[in-house]
Every structure is written in C-alpha cells, then in structure tokens.
Amino acid sequence: MATATLTIDLDAVAANWRALDRLSGPEVQTAAVVKADAYGLGVTRVARALAQAGARRFFVAYAEEGAAVRQALGPGPQISVLSGHMSGDTEMINDLDLTPMLNSLEQITRHLEALPGHPFGVQLDTGMNRLGVEMLEWQAVASILIDAGPALLMSHLACADEPDHPLNATQLEAFHEMTDGTGIPRSLAATGGILLGPKYHFDLTRPGIGLYGGLPFDTSVRAVSLGLPVIQTREVAPGESVGYGCTWTADTHAVIATVAGGYADGLPRTLSNAAMLWDGDVPCPLVGRVSMDLITVDVTHLAEVPKSLDILCAHQTVDDLADAAGTIGYEILTSLGPRYLRRYQERTA
Ligand SMILES: *Cc1c(COP(=O)(O)O)cnc(C)c1O
C-alpha cells in the first residue's frame, strides 16, 4: 500500500491542553480552538479527547465547523463561532446551540433580530484590524449590548508570539479600556497570549496551536508523526539528475528512494532540495523537486533501504519542517491532507 500513515497522538493533545491550563490561575477557564478540522488532525477525535481532558468550551471559525463539533460532543459544551453570525447561519446557530462571536454592527443587528435571547459573544478589535467591533462603534453600542447579556467579550493579539512587541501592551490597554467594569467574562489570549503571563489571561484562554504541539508553546508534546512508504529504489550514476526540472544531479554514484507524499499531501514544493527525511536516527536528504504525489530521497548511505521514511518524527517537528519550507507550523499542520491514512493513538480508557 502506498498510502502514507499520519499518526495522531490524542494523549499528547490532552497533555498539551492540561499543560496550557496549568499556566493560568485556577479561576481562569481554558477553552480549545478546533477550527480547520482541529488544525488538520481530525475534529471529531480531537474534540472528544479534549472534552475528556476537561475542556468545556470550544472555538471554531465557521458555523459549519461548529456543527461537526456539536455532532462529536453532543449537547453541553459551549461552541463559539469566531466568524460570528453570517447571513444563512441563523438556523444552524439556533438548532445546534452555537454561540456566535459578533464582529460588526451588522452582525449584532442580525443576531438580536433573528435570535433574541440566544447566547452570543462580542469580538472587539483592539489593534489587529482583522475581525471585531472597533473602539468608536463599541462606545456607541456597548451599553445596549451589555444589557443583552453577552456570554463573552473577546479580542485577539496580532503579535503574541513576539513577547517584546509593543503592540501586545497597546492591545492589552485597549482591551481594558473597552471592557473594564462591564462585568462580562473576557478573553484575550490564544497560545502566545497565555505565554505572555497572567495579565493577558482574563477569564478564559483560547489555545489552538499549542494543543497540537506547535510553537510558540515550546514545551509542548509532539502530537503528529508522518511516515512515507518507499515505493521504489534506483541507482543513479554520476552526472544523472533526479526529478522535474533536473534540479539535483548526482556527483557520485547514488541510491535514490522514491517515496509516497507530495505537495497534494501538504508537503510544500518549497521543500525541494531543502528537507530531511529520517530512517530512525539517520537523516536522509530530500533531493530534487517535490512533485504532486512523490518525493525523492538520497539513501546512498543506508545499509538497507527501509519500508518507509519519516518526515514528521522525534527528529523533525512541524516547526522544523515549516522552517525548511519557509512557512509556519500552523500551515504545515492544516495542509496535511485527507489522503493520509489516519491512525489515532489513545490510551484505552
Ligand atoms: C486561531 C485563533 C486562536 C488560536 O490561536 P493559536 O495561536 O493557534 O493558539 C484563538 N483566537 C482566535 C480569534 C483565533 O483566530
């Protein structure tokens, strides 16, 4: 079988959630961000493992993603929708008991008219200029909205992974200015914000990437491994080249393994001639271009060609691979496509 196996360690995800939960005070609730199919790892299994670990509040990007989480978890846990209440979402928000984080006056009006009394939160823009109600708009509507009883006032930090960035303090100050004295539960921190310390924690934190073993949570436990089957091995003579565009040429006799996995599987083409695969503890350089379904690896130095080579393993995290590709761990994780066979590791309860 040429299909590669993506191994997802649900115990590691649960351990990362507990570790992030311990980083804030006992009065601070820790939610879990499971948007984009739990960062590519599979939302049904991941959300269940997180609920088992103790998570009671979940965040998704779109209402449709909330539907998948509700189906996985059943009634009870609060599921918040970061894109808010879009036209066409009303029925789903109501039927599946989703909590939209309203981002604009338009969404606020839509929600209060369509579903009066249905839980909602408000996302405030404190300086990222992406989503959320801005300061002046907020000042105009805050008193009316607070009477309607939002479940949460939240905002998002643009530079939390850079602790010394001046925007962190500026956003913190703006968030205080917009929310102090409201008496409504508040949330500002994602993974990076948790690591900035207690001033950023408020009542609820919203970690995503740290749950899945990614930076900036540098003490997280690795949650994914990926091994790619070797389909074929060939001998290449000095002067012969390998792959599309002849971008790698052997200068000595070489043994090349062709393995299953390519850019259609979320291995970026920018890894061409720039990454390592691993046979246990032995690194083997990726040579030539990454193609759609295949990559080629120099295994000349191995005594025996293995059945598969690892690309995500103890020696190479998602962030290491991201560095080689010129991107971030978030993009590597969320690009891991549906083509892999997924194997979930979990202690049997
Ligand atoms: C994605 C997202 C998060 C989670 O961020 P991480 O950096 O993955 O922890 C939290 N809040 C909002 C608004 C987000 O968009």
Side-chain angles (χ1 to χ4, degrees):
M1 187 172 75
T3 302
T5 304
L6 184 70
T7 304
I8 296 146
D9 184 345
L10 295 172
D11 294 330
V13 174
N16 288 330
W17 183 84
R18 285 191 216 98
L20 287 162
D21 186 40
R22 280 195 299 273
L23 288 178
S24 61
E27 71 292 348
V28 179
Q29 215 185 355
T30 303
V33 179
V34 293
K35 61 192 179 189
D37 199 28
Y39 289 45
L41 303 192
V43 74
T44 300
R45 297 295 301 267
V46 167
R48 284 183 187 151
L50 287 164
Q52 193 128 31
R56 290 291 165 267
R57 295 173 76 154
F58 294 81
F59 284 82
V60 294
Y62 311 128
E64 288 78 3
E65 295 180 341
V69 179
R70 181 61 75 209
Q71 192 157 25
L73 298 181
Q78 188 189 77
I79 301 167
S80 297
V81 180
L82 293 165
S83 60
H85 189 151
M86 296 290 284
S87 97
D89 286 348
T90 303
E91 207 171 32
M92 212 174 334
I93 287 171
N94 187 52
D95 294 353
L96 299 169
D97 187 20
L98 307 179
T99 306
M101 298 291 119
L102 307 176
N103 288 297
S104 62
L105 299 184
E106 186 191 5
Q107 290 197 347
I108 289 167
T109 309
R110 178 181 296 129
H111 185 76
L112 296 180
E113 283 178 359
L115 296 174
H118 185 96
F120 67 95
V122 182
Q123 180 155 208
L124 301 168
D125 180 14
T126 52
M128 186 170 183
N129 287 307
R130 188 182 64 168
L131 276 181
V133 178
E134 292 189 31
M135 182 80 83
L136 285 177
E137 295 173 322
W138 177 240
Q139 283 163 350
V141 299
S143 62
I144 306 167
L145 260 186
I146 286 162
D147 285 346
L152 188 71
L153 300 179
M154 61 164 284
S155 188
H156 194 50
L157 297 166
C159 303
D161 58 343
E162 297 174 56
D164 297 328
H165 200 290
L167 189 59
N168 294 322
T170 306
Q171 289 195 260
L172 177 63
E173 198 179 329
F175 194 55
H176 274 295
E177 191 180 334
M178 293 169 92
T179 62
D180 278 355
T182 56
I184 309 292
R186 298 185 282 183
S187 176
L188 180 60
T191 303
I194 295 173
L195 302 173
L196 292 179
K199 279 193 297 192
Y200 288 84
H201 295 169
F202 294 89
D203 302 294
L204 178 84
T205 61
R206 312 183 307 269
I209 192 73
L211 303 173
Y212 311 112
L215 290 176
F217 186 31
D218 58 9
T219 54
S220 60
V221 185
R222 188 169 55 87
V224 283
S225 335
L226 179 59
L228 308 175
V230 175
I231 298 178
Q232 193 182 10
T233 309
R234 61 172 26 71
E235 314 256 325
V236 174
E240 286 191 312
S241 59
V242 171
Y244 283 124
C246 303
T247 63
W248 185 85
T249 303
D251 28 272
T252 53
H253 166 267
V255 182
I256 300 297
T258 302
V259 308
Y263 58 76
D265 303 289
L267 304 174
R269 195 161 166 279
T270 49
L271 292 172
S272 299
N273 290 304
M276 286 294 168
L277 282 84
W278 296 80
D279 174 31
D281 297 327
V282 184
C284 306
L286 190 165
V287 296
R289 288 223 176 117
V290 174
S291 52
M292 188 183 294
D293 321 297
L294 299 166
I295 55 186
T296 35
V297 183
D298 186 352
V299 293
T300 313
H301 53 302
L302 299 183
E304 204 175 318
V305 179
K307 285 202 169 62
S308 71
L309 290 163
D310 296 330
I311 192 155
L312 292 173
C313 58
H315 295 290
Q316 186 159 266
T317 65
V318 289
D319 290 291
D320 296 332
L321 194 63
D323 279 346
T327 180
I328 55 173
Y330 295 74
E331 191 177 2
I332 294 289
L333 276 180
T334 56
S335 302
L336 295 171
R339 271 173 131 189
Y340 298 118
L341 191 73
R342 279 155 194 262
R343 198 159 62 85
Y344 289 92
Q345 282 179 335
E346 195 172 24
R347 261 189 331 267
T348 39

